[in-house]
Amino acid sequence: HIYRALLARSGNKCAYPGCPRPIVNTKNIYEAQLCHIESVSHKKQRYNPKLTEDQVNGYDNLMFMCLKHHVETNDENVY
Protein backbone atom coordinates (compact mmCIF):
# COMPACT_ATOMS: atom_id res chain seq x y z
CA HIS A 1 0.00 0.00 0.00
CA ILE A 2 2.93 2.37 0.64
CA TYR A 3 4.39 1.91 -2.85
CA ARG A 4 0.99 2.38 -4.48
CA ALA A 5 0.47 5.61 -2.55
CA LEU A 6 3.92 6.88 -3.52
CA LEU A 7 3.29 6.06 -7.18
CA ALA A 8 -0.16 7.62 -7.16
CA ARG A 9 1.06 10.85 -5.59
CA SER A 10 4.23 11.09 -7.69
CA GLY A 11 2.54 12.37 -10.82
CA ASN A 12 4.71 9.75 -12.59
CA LYS A 13 7.78 11.95 -12.16
CA CYS A 14 11.08 11.72 -10.33
CA ALA A 15 10.82 13.34 -6.88
CA TYR A 16 13.80 15.60 -7.57
CA PRO A 17 12.49 19.17 -8.00
CA GLY A 18 12.03 20.04 -11.65
CA CYS A 19 13.00 16.63 -13.01
CA PRO A 20 10.61 15.51 -15.74
CA ARG A 21 11.84 11.91 -15.91
CA PRO A 22 9.01 9.41 -15.54
CA ILE A 23 8.69 6.58 -13.08
CA VAL A 24 6.99 4.45 -15.73
CA ASN A 25 7.66 5.37 -19.37
CA THR A 26 5.24 5.37 -22.31
CA LYS A 27 6.07 1.69 -22.97
CA ASN A 28 5.02 0.84 -19.39
CA ILE A 29 8.60 0.15 -18.37
CA TYR A 30 9.52 1.01 -14.78
CA GLU A 31 12.49 3.41 -14.94
CA ALA A 32 12.74 4.80 -11.42
CA GLN A 33 14.32 3.67 -8.20
CA LEU A 34 12.68 3.49 -4.80
CA CYS A 35 14.88 5.62 -2.57
CA HIS A 36 15.24 5.91 1.19
CA ILE A 37 15.77 9.40 2.57
CA GLU A 38 17.41 7.94 5.67
CA SER A 39 19.21 4.70 4.91
CA VAL A 40 18.33 1.16 5.95
CA SER A 41 21.99 0.27 6.44
CA HIS A 42 24.45 1.86 8.84
CA LYS A 43 27.02 1.72 6.02
CA LYS A 44 24.95 3.95 3.71
CA GLN A 45 24.16 7.65 3.45
CA ARG A 46 22.07 9.39 6.09
CA TYR A 47 21.67 6.38 8.36
CA ASN A 48 19.62 7.21 11.44
CA PRO A 49 19.92 4.61 14.23
CA LYS A 50 16.88 6.08 16.00
CA LEU A 51 14.47 4.94 13.28
CA THR A 52 12.64 1.63 13.55
CA GLU A 53 12.49 -0.72 10.57
CA ASP A 54 8.89 0.35 9.96
CA GLN A 55 9.90 4.03 9.97
CA VAL A 56 12.86 3.45 7.63
CA ASN A 57 10.58 1.65 5.17
CA GLY A 58 7.57 3.89 5.74
CA TYR A 59 5.88 6.40 3.46
CA ASP A 60 7.61 9.44 5.01
CA ASN A 61 11.08 8.02 4.32
CA LEU A 62 10.60 6.83 0.74
CA MET A 63 10.41 8.41 -2.71
CA PHE A 64 10.80 7.45 -6.34
CA MET A 65 13.69 9.05 -8.20
CA CYS A 66 15.37 8.57 -11.54
CA LEU A 67 18.77 6.87 -11.41
CA LYS A 68 20.65 10.12 -12.08
CA HIS A 69 19.08 11.94 -9.14
CA HIS A 70 19.19 8.94 -6.82
CA VAL A 71 22.96 8.74 -7.28
CA GLU A 72 23.42 12.52 -7.17
CA THR A 73 21.49 12.98 -3.91
CA ASN A 74 23.63 10.39 -2.16
CA ASP A 75 26.24 13.14 -1.75
CA GLU A 76 25.73 13.98 1.93
CA ASN A 77 27.82 17.14 1.68
CA VAL A 78 25.28 18.64 -0.71
CA TYR A 79 21.99 16.95 0.26
Side-chain angles (χ1 to χ4, degrees), residues 41-70:
S41 171
H42 69 279
K43 297 178 183 179
K44 301 280 184 157
Q45 295 82 7
R46 295 177 300 279
Y47 176 69
N48 182 348
K50 295 178 183 177
L51 294 182
T52 66
E53 185 175 344
D54 285 343
Q55 290 171 314
V56 168
N57 293 303
Y59 180 86
D60 291 334
N61 194 49
L62 297 170
M63 66 177 74
F64 285 103
M65 298 183 95
C66 67
L67 175 62
K68 175 184 184 264
H69 287 119
H70 186 193

Side-chain angles (χ1 to χ4, degrees), residues 20-38:
R21 288 186 179 93
I23 293 170
V24 178
N25 70 20
T26 57
K27 295 180 181 180
N28 291 323
I29 297 171
Y30 174 75
E31 294 185 348
Q33 295 190 324
L34 181 63
C35 309
H36 289 84
I37 298 166
E38 294 186 279

